[in-house]
Each structure stands twice: as C-alpha cells, then as structure tokens.
Amino acid sequence: LIHPPVIAIDGPAAAGKGTLARRLAAELGLRHLDTGMIYRAAASRLLAGGGDPDDPAAAALAAQTLGADDLVRTDLRAERTGEIASKIAALGPVRAALLDFQRSFGRTAPGAVLDGRDIGTVVFPDARAKIFVTASPEARALRRHEELRGKGVASIFADVLEEMRLRDRRDRERAVAPLRPADDAVTLDTTDMSADEVFAAALAHVTSRL
Ligand code: CDP
Ligand code: CDP
C-alpha cells in the first residue's frame, strides 16, 4: 500500500515554515496543516476557559477536548497565545492528545505538507521529504516584527527578539519532542535568502523525493 505523500517542514519561530509549506502544498496539489495553530488553539481554549496555564491537568484537558471551533479563535496569533502554547507544548499528555489529528490529516489523500517543530522527528518519521528551515534569531525577529507592523500592531524589535529567544530555548530544551532537525532532514539556513529562493531550493529537494 502506498501512503499519500507527507512533506515535513520544521524549524524555529518565524523561520518561514508556514510561508514555505503553503507554497509547496499549492504547487504540489497537497493539503497544508500549520501544526502550531493546533497548539495555539489548545492554549487559547485553556485561557478562554479560565484554566491555569501552569496546571498540567488543565492543559491536558484543553488539548483532549479541542474542537473545530477552537481553530477559529481570534487570539490564535497573539504573542501571549504563542507563549502559552510553547509552555503547554512541553507536556507529554498535551502532545499525545494532538497526535492523532495530525497523523490522520497527513494520511488523507492526496497527502499533505505539515509544518511545526517535530513533524519529521515524531509525527511523521517516515515522511517522504523533510526540510528544516532556520535563520538567525535577529533575522527571524525582524520578520516577525515587520509582519506585526504590517498589520498595524505596535511592536518593539528588542522585545520580539527576547520573546523569540525564550520560546526557542524552551522548544529546544524540552524533554518531549524537542525542536531539532531529523537525521535525514535537509537544513536550509534562510538568513540571507528571499522567500522565493527558499521555495525554489525546497521544491527541488521535494521533487527529487516524490
Ligand atoms: O511559520 P513561521 O513562523 O516559521 O514563519 P511564517 O509565518 O512563514 O513567517 C515568515 C515571515 O518571513 C513572512 O512574513 C515571510 O514573508 C517572511 N520571509 C520568509 O518567509 N522567508 C524568507 N526567506 C524571508 C522572509
Ligand atoms: O508561528 P511560530 O513559529 O511563532 O509558532 P507556532 O508554529 O505557531 O507554534 C507555537 C508553539 O507551539 C511553538 O513555540 C511550539 O512550542 C509549539 N509547537 C510544537 O511544540 N510542535 C509543533 N509541531 C508546532 C508547534
């Protein structure tokens, strides 16, 4: 049995995972899932229900009872939601509760591009192609800062950089599914690359694997 192809895109915050994954999916006729949004939805559900973000049982319950409604919450992209998402993402029961959804999404025809932190290492260790997208913390903070400004949100570069460093450290140092490139992933350092250049390099690698 041939499974629908899964392409795994992992990397730290604002490396350009979502931008790349969306373009690859459109180009290849695959579906796209930004898995960070599921962790953000669990965080948002926890906060909306008045749960204590430092209580592991409350966090696990929020992840276990996640529904389609939570994926359209208005605060999903907020910095605070990302911060709480990264906190609860360090908990094994939270990650376990979100695994099935990601796997069935990827296994559904015609296949999918998933982006996150542990797609190539944990969610789909047998993915057809794996790309680890990274860039210097300064470049990534600048991207996020400019994105916020573009949306008319007040943003201070130094604060964005500081928050990003904290979140990256937490994601890299956690015991469960830490952020790291899979052994068979291709790493793209995009610090000095445009989104178009990243797309071209990634597409060349992915097509060689399909
Ligand atoms: O998903 P992730 O948080 O990794 O990043 P994103 O949401 O795709 O945002 C990356 C931002 O950086 C977007 O505003 C892109 O236009 C920009 N960018 C990029 O994606 N790739 C580059 N090589 C340069 C800039
Ligand atoms: O957009 P950005 O890259 O800033 O973050 P995100 O992809 O929306 O993810 C928010 C948080 O969810 C991350 O800091 C991770 O802690 C967590 N996450 C994870 O643990 N595993 C994933 N596959 C995706 C996100």
Side-chain angles (χ1 to χ4, degrees):
L1 187 80
I2 308 276
H3 292 294
V6 168
I7 315 293
I9 312 287
D10 290 303
K17 304 179 296 295
T19 302
L20 173 61
R22 208 171 301 115
R23 283 183 73 173
L24 282 176
E27 178 74 19
L28 302 167
L30 302 175
R31 303 198 302 156
H32 168 229
L33 180 65
D34 172 356
T35 64
M37 278 301 154
I38 308 174
Y39 288 88
R40 286 172 180 266
S44 171
R45 180 178 178 80
L46 173 66
L47 294 172
D52 176 359
D54 292 316
D55 174 9
L61 184 66
Q64 285 153 2
T65 57
L66 200 69
D69 289 2
D70 296 307
L71 291 166
V72 294
R73 289 182 177 279
T74 54
D75 66 337
L76 291 186
R77 294 194 184 271
E79 243 4 275
R80 161 112 177 119
T81 309
E83 157 83 16
I84 303 300
S86 134
K87 267 194 179 174
I88 67 172
L91 303 168
V94 167
R95 306 199 70 84
L98 304 179
L99 206 49
D100 275 358
F101 176 79
Q102 298 174 76
R103 288 193 172 145
S104 39
F105 187 97
R107 286 186 182 135
T108 303
V113 183
L114 282 82
D115 73 274
R117 302 292 187 289
D118 65 335
I119 308 305
T121 51
V122 174
V123 184
F124 285 104
D126 57 351
R128 197 74 68 82
K130 302 179 184 179
I131 300 175
F132 192 84
V133 194
T134 187
S136 71
E138 291 77 12
R140 293 186 289 109
L142 189 61
R143 289 175 193 174
R144 185 52 54 86
H145 176 63
E146 283 174 349
E147 235 173 20
L148 290 168
R149 290 239 162 145
K151 286 190 238 163
V153 179
S155 168
I156 297 166
F157 175 76
D159 293 351
V160 175
L161 179 60
E162 177 60 20
E163 275 164 27
M164 198 164 275
R165 283 188 194 280
L166 278 175
R167 195 143 66 82
D168 285 352
R169 191 175 315 133
R170 192 183 290 137
D171 290 348
R172 287 198 172 98
E173 292 177 359
R174 68 189 176 206
V176 200
L179 169 68
R180 65 166 184 87
D183 293 336
D184 53 350
V186 162
T187 295
L188 287 179
D189 183 337
T190 74
T191 306
D192 298 311
M193 287 169 89
S194 70
D196 284 348
E197 289 169 331
V198 175
F199 174 64
L203 184 63
H205 174 64
V206 170
T207 24
S208 76
R209 294 300 191 111
L210 286 177

